[in-house]
Structure formats: C-alpha cells, structure tokens
C-alpha cells in the first residue's frame, strides 16, 4: 500500500481541522424560527436539474472493487439497533428487495467512474465488526481522536479489523451518550481518510453519531423536529428507533460519498477540496419528488403509519437522494430501479 509522506500527513491534519462542512437542509440550531430556510422550496438544494451545479471528476481514485464496510461500535449499543444498521448495509446490494429499493438508490452512485471508465462497484457488503463498549478514548471525541479509535480497531491484539485500502471502508458509529466535535451544531456525520502519522495507513472512513440524547430534532429530522419549528409534526420512524432511523440516512450519505470521493480528490463540485460539495451534500434533506427547503418530498407510508422511501431486505428506510451527474439532478431509487 502507498503511504503519504509525513509532511503531507501534517498538511492533511490541518486541513481536517479547517474543513468547512457543506450544509444542506437540516434544522440546524443557528436557524432562526422565522428563517426563510424553513419555508417550502426555499432551499438551494432542490429536486430538479440545476445549471449552477457542475459535479466534476478530479482524477482521484473511486471504489470500483467490491466494497466492504467494517464497523466500529463505539459505546453501548443494543442488539436491535445493530440489526437495523447491518440490514441497511446488506440491502445496498440486495437485488431481490421490493421496489423502490435501497439497491435501486445505489444505482445512481454506480454511475460514477474513475479515469479508466470503471464504475463504482455494485457490491457493498458488511465486513468485520469491533465493539468498543468501554469508551476507550472517552465520551468526548475530536476529529483526530476518531482516527485513534480506528487505529485501536485495526491494531488490536485480538481480532483486529482487516486493512484493505482499495475496497475497505471503516464506519465508526458512536452511541447516544458520546459527543463528537461539531456534532449537532454543524454535522451529523462526516467522512475523510486516516493519516499514516496516526493510524499507520491511509484508510477511508466515516463517522456517524446517534443523536437520541443530544439533538434528535437536528440529526434525526424528520422523525423529530426542534421546538422552534411550530406547526411541524415529526414523522413516524419505520423501525421504531428514532435515533437509529435518523442515522440510516446519514450512513447512506457518507457511504455514497466515500465510494465516489474516498480521498477527497475524486468527484465533487466547486474548486475547493477543503470544502468539497459532494454527491449527497447536493441533495441533503431531499427524500422524494418535489423536495426542497423543509419539505422532504413525496414519501411512502406503511400500514402502521411509519414513513419511508425505500425497501431493504426485510426493513424499510428513509434515505436521502443523491446527485445524478449525468442528468444533473437529485435522484432516488425509482429512476434506475429496474
């Protein structure tokens, strides 16, 4: 495996600390109760084509080999919560799921290619898992200490997570009693790559947190809404766990961006790799046709009143759409779910 030199690693550390998150629609705490961002259709992220958005390829690698997602469960997790997340990841390649399906949603991600013309892999499956139930690095994590958690997982004396920089992704999931730098105020999750100076390898990874005790109205929206959004009623979550159901869309968001921009030098819009606008950023808050502003778009309802927009193997999920760079608009599972 090729490792970055120490100088590049130090530069990357500073970049990670300075990254300005791309903010699509979420009811972030800084929004005023009368903000126009809460109005139907006012978001700059909207369903439909946009001549102002140019998703470009910057010649970096994308994940064309079969993708394996290794999970680090940080903190205390219930078995039922793990099952919801595992089944979502396994649903990405489940071709026999009822339509509209998670696999149909992933087909838009597969449209992206590398410089040889090879597409993002169809195959995404769950890899090895590591439990860190005793909070090895505490209950308050920074962006850099997250990399230390991953280092502990891949260098553990017993059952270390396998390392495959070409197709292996690391997904660090923090339980509802763990605070991560910028969580709830600016981000609900993010992705980057590990630094050899910290981990020993350059590995694509993502972090997503459970917001159940910290900010359900932000990171589990629309299954919860903040108090200032009067007149908005939360939707019923499809799997009976608001915090985890809220995580699912963020996990989908980050995996899609890891596949298309694993080292932050492949597919993104804009000229600044420090603040790239990626394929899920462009569609944040859009879950169905007509979505924009605080309106999620047209959704589906289960017989028990739960809201979803795509089917997995055995469960239903609400997952945001992603950007189709060929048609130049946000796309859901219906467009390619054939």
């Amino acid at each position: 495996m090729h490792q970055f030199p120490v100088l590049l690693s130090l530069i990357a550390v500073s970049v990670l600390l300075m990254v300005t998150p791309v903010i699509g629609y979420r009811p972030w705490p800084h929004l005023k109760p009368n903000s126009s961002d809460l109005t139907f259709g006012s978001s700059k992220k909207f369903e439909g084509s946009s001549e102002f958005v140019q998703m470009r390829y910057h010649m970096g690698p994308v994940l064309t080999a079969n993708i394996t997602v290794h999970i680090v469960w940080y903190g205390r997790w219930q078995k039922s919560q793990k099952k919801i997340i595992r089944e979502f990841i396994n649903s990405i390649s489940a071709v026999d799921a009822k339509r509209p399906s998670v696999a149909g949603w992933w087909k838009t991600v597969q449209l992206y290619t590398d410089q040889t013309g090879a597409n993002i892999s169809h195959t995404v499956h769950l890899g090895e898992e590591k439990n860190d139930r005793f909070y090895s690095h505490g209950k308050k994590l920074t962006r850099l200490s997250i990399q230390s958690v991953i280092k502990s997982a891949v260098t553990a004396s017993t059952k270390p997570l396998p390392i495959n920089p070409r197709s292996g992704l690391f997904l660090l999931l923090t339980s509802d009693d763990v605070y991560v730098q910028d969580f709830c105020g600016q981000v609900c999750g993010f992705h980057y790559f590990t630094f050899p100076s910290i981990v020993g390898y350059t590995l694509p990874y993502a972090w997503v947190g459970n917001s159940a005790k910290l900010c359900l109205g932000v990171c589990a929206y629309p299954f919860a809404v903040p108090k200032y959004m009067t007149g908005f009623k939360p939707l019923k979550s499809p799997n009976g766990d608001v915090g985890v159901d809220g995580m699912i869309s963020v996990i989908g968001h980050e995996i899609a961006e890891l596949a298309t921009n694993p080292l932050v030098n492949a597919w993104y819009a804009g000229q600044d790799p420090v603040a790239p606008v990626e394929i899920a950023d462009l569609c944040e808050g859009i879950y169905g046709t007509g979505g924009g502003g605080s309106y999620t778009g047209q959704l589906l309802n289960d017989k028990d009143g739960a809201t979803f927009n795509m089917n997995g193997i055995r469960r239903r999920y609400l997952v945001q759409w992603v950007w189709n760079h060929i048609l130049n608009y946000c796309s859901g599972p219906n467009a390619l779910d054939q």
Side-chain angles (χ1 to χ4, degrees):
M1 166 190 149
H2 299 289
Q3 298 185 3
F4 290 121
V6 174
L7 178 59
L8 181 56
S9 296
L10 292 175
I11 293 172
V13 169
S14 64
V15 168
L16 176 62
L17 295 176
M18 294 187 297
V19 163
T20 303
V22 175
I23 299 176
Y25 181 78
R26 277 192 185 275
W28 298 108
H30 64 271
L31 291 178
K32 298 178 181 179
N34 62 349
S35 171
S36 62
D37 287 339
L38 302 179
T39 307
F40 168 79
S42 68
S43 177
K44 293 180 181 178
K45 313 289 192 292
F46 57 92
E47 186 268 331
S49 63
S50 172
E51 63 185 44
F52 302 108
V53 175
Q54 294 295 328
M55 183 64 63
R56 291 188 173 91
Y57 179 52
H58 298 266
M59 305 306 288
V62 301
L63 301 185
T64 57
N66 291 349
I67 300 168
T68 304
V69 181
H70 304 296
I71 299 180
V72 179
W73 303 98
Y74 192 86
R76 303 295 178 91
W77 289 88
Q78 300 174 16
K79 291 182 179 179
S80 59
Q81 294 176 320
K82 290 182 176 181
K83 190 173 182 180
I84 294 170
I85 294 171
R86 287 178 184 134
E87 290 189 8
F88 171 70
I89 294 171
N90 284 327
S91 293
I92 294 175
S93 299
V95 295
D96 55 347
K98 183 180 178 181
R99 298 171 185 168
S101 68
V102 178
W105 164 83
W106 186 255
K107 287 182 180 180
T108 297
V109 182
Q110 287 180 257
L111 294 174
Y112 290 82
T113 62
D114 66 10
Q115 56 189 301
T116 71
N119 292 84
I120 300 293
S121 176
H122 161 267
T123 302
V124 180
H125 63 267
L126 187 63
E128 301 298 319
E129 301 177 38
K130 196 75 176 174
N131 293 299
D132 195 334
R133 62 177 62 89
F134 297 114
Y135 311 90
S136 64
H137 290 72
K139 291 188 177 183
K140 292 184 178 180
L141 301 176
T142 66
R143 289 175 179 256
L144 291 181
S145 63
I146 279 178
Q147 296 205 18
S148 296
V149 174
I150 294 173
K151 177 183 179 180
S152 297
V154 300
T155 61
S157 57
T158 58
K159 297 182 178 180
L161 293 183
I163 296 169
N164 184 348
R166 287 190 65 251
S167 63
L169 305 180
F170 293 84
L171 184 60
L172 175 60
L173 304 176
T174 50
S175 57
D176 59 12
D177 55 349
V178 176
Y179 175 75
V180 173
Q181 180 182 353
D182 298 326
F183 191 21
C184 297
Q186 297 183 44
V187 294
C188 300
F190 63 78
H191 77 90
Y192 211 63
F193 54 87
T194 62
F195 307 139
S197 58
I198 297 176
V199 180
Y201 305 90
T202 302
L203 305 170
Y205 75 92
W207 158 76
V208 180
N210 187 339
S211 65
K213 293 181 180 179
L214 297 172
C215 58
L216 275 178
V218 175
C219 291
Y221 181 86
F223 300 128
V225 296
K227 292 180 180 180
Y228 67 78
M229 289 181 65
T230 57
F232 287 79
K233 294 183 178 180
L235 303 177
K236 184 176 180 180
S237 67
N239 296 292
D241 189 310
V242 173
V244 174
D245 274 319
M247 291 179 72
I248 290 297
S249 187
V250 185
I251 291 171
H253 176 128
E254 300 304 338
I255 291 178
E257 293 183 345
L258 276 169
T260 55
N261 198 27
L263 299 181
V264 201
N265 61 358
W267 285 96
Y268 61 87
Q271 300 301 315
D272 187 0
V274 176
V277 180
E278 300 171 277
I279 72 166
D281 295 323
L282 289 168
C283 306
E284 188 167 1
I286 296 174
Y287 299 86
T289 301
S294 58
Y295 177 57
T296 57
Q298 297 177 17
L299 305 178
L300 302 171
N301 290 104
D302 205 341
K303 59 183 180 182
D304 63 356
T307 301
F308 67 100
N309 66 349
M310 57 189 76
N311 296 282
I313 301 172
R314 287 174 290 273
R315 297 175 181 271
R316 291 171 171 174
Y317 299 101
L318 185 67
V319 183
Q320 70 161 77
W321 287 10
V322 290
W323 189 257
N324 184 320
H325 69 297
I326 296 175
L327 300 177
N328 220 35
Y329 61 65
C330 294
S331 181
N334 288 322
L336 299 170
D337 204 359
Q338 302 296 330

